[in-house]
Amino acid sequence: MLKGRCAIVTGSTSGIGLGIAEALATHGADVMLNGFGDAAEIDKLRTSLAETHGVRVSYSAADMSKQAEVDAMIAQATRELGSVDILVNNAGIQYTAPVEEFPLDRWDAILAINLSAAFWAIRAVLPQMKRRGWGRIINIASAHGLVASVHKAAYVAAKHGLLGLTKVVALETATTPVTCNAICPGWVLTPLVEKQIDDIANRQGLSRAAATEELLGEKQPSLEFATPAQIGALAVFLCSDAAAQIRGTAIPVDGGWTAQ
Ligand code: NAD
């Protein structure tokens, strides 16, 4: 279904981004991976994705907190894959602290990686998507783009901002074949959430299993994690013709979190 389409998935060396890259490759898209990690591991990942799905897979180590590196990643993907037809803004980080103790450098980093990077990348790819007459922009926001939690000032602000950016881009592209939407996951078991489970276990003196129950029980009525594969499948759907008139939406995959 996506044969001949080229995708960039930011932050795809792990977690949700990797799930999305795998889903897009499964449907025939060429993919540029991005993110941090061990160089040999990333190379193995790149080769195995390419061989398993018969697609081209390249990699950019661009740091999403730096605009020049985001621009260079878009240029590299365009050069190596021929175009950028699908942009998934997924890279993200988390830090928790009460607002009056929130470290200034963490605020800046979260705003840069979780929000500004999406703006920089969209700004760089939109002209070529419009010129070629097709494009899909998918922003990975969060349930925290729709509702708040304590101690997550920067993350909640960035994710709410990302939904605002999604709506503006959707309006500005409304009469074109380029769409822009956001996916709002609830809890997905990835390294980003493993760290929060460890924090609960340490803070409350709980086992990991009990801390996991506590984490899910507080927010996610299904009491089950969503999976990177489920987020990937939704991203593939948003790239389909069936989704051509889905524009400017924020789609929760959150086990009922934001229904409460
Ligand atoms: P993760 O920590 O497993 O993966 C994050 C990815 O981003 C990694 O590949 C990492 O190398 C990359 N990354 C981090 N900083 C980067 C930078 N400066 N430049 C380039 N790449 C960078 O996290 P995840 O849980 O898979 O999260 C992915 C996205 O989904 C994030 O935007 C996160 O906010 C969002 N999200 C996650 C959950 C969840 O429960 N896991 C819920 C809602 C939203």
Side-chain angles (χ1 to χ4, degrees), residues 6-8 30-32 56 58-60 70-87 121 124-129 131-132:
C6 305
I8 295 181
D30 296 323
V31 177
M32 171 168 270
R56 291 178 298 161
S58 56
Y59 167 70
S60 158
V70 173
D71 280 354
M73 173 187 71
I74 304 288
Q76 183 194 338
T78 309
R79 202 169 53 242
E80 291 179 0
L81 301 175
S83 59
V84 180
D85 309 298
I86 298 165
L87 169 67
V125 294
L126 249 188
Q128 59 163 299
M129 286 180 174
R131 202 165 49 242
R132 271 194 312 278

Side-chain angles (χ1 to χ4, degrees), residues 130-204:
K130 284 182 175 168
R131 202 165 49 242
R132 271 194 312 278
W134 196 89
R136 292 289 188 268
I137 298 167
I138 301 170
N139 296 323
I140 306 305
S142 169
H144 283 121
L146 298 163
V147 293
S149 295
V150 294
H151 299 170
K152 294 186 174 175
Y155 188 87
V156 169
K159 295 298 189 181
H160 275 67
L162 188 56
L163 293 188
L165 174 66
T166 302
K167 291 176 193 172
V168 172
V169 174
L171 289 180
E172 292 186 10
T173 53
T175 58
T176 78
V178 178
T179 72
C180 179
N181 290 285
I183 297 176
C184 297
W187 294 125
V188 181
L189 193 56
T190 67
L192 182 139
V193 168
E194 301 267 10
K195 188 177 169 305
Q196 294 178 64
I197 292 171
D198 290 342
D199 289 347
I200 293 173
N202 292 337
R203 218 176 30 244
Q204 302 185 26

Side-chain angles (χ1 to χ4, degrees), residues 229-250:
Q230 289 167 346
I231 310 291
L234 178 54
V236 168
F237 174 70
L238 287 172
C239 292
S240 71
D241 290 342
Q245 290 310 323
I246 299 179
R247 293 170 184 266
T249 62

Side-chain angles (χ1 to χ4, degrees), residues 8-21 24 32-36 64 73 86-94 110 112-115 117-119 121-122 137-142 155 159 162 181 183-185 188 190-192 227-228 231-232 235:
I8 295 181
V9 184
T10 71
S12 47
T13 52
S14 154
I16 292 172
L18 181 54
I20 294 171
L24 293 173
M32 171 168 270
L33 299 173
N34 158 259
F36 300 146
M64 293 298 103
M73 173 187 71
I86 298 165
L87 169 67
V88 183
N89 291 304
N90 166 79
I93 58 168
Q94 175 63 283
I110 289 175
I113 296 165
N114 297 17
L115 176 58
F119 164 66
I122 290 168
I137 298 167
I138 301 170
N139 296 323
I140 306 305
S142 169
Y155 188 87
K159 295 298 189 181
L162 188 56
N181 290 285
I183 297 176
C184 297
V188 181
T190 67
L192 182 139
T227 66
I231 310 291

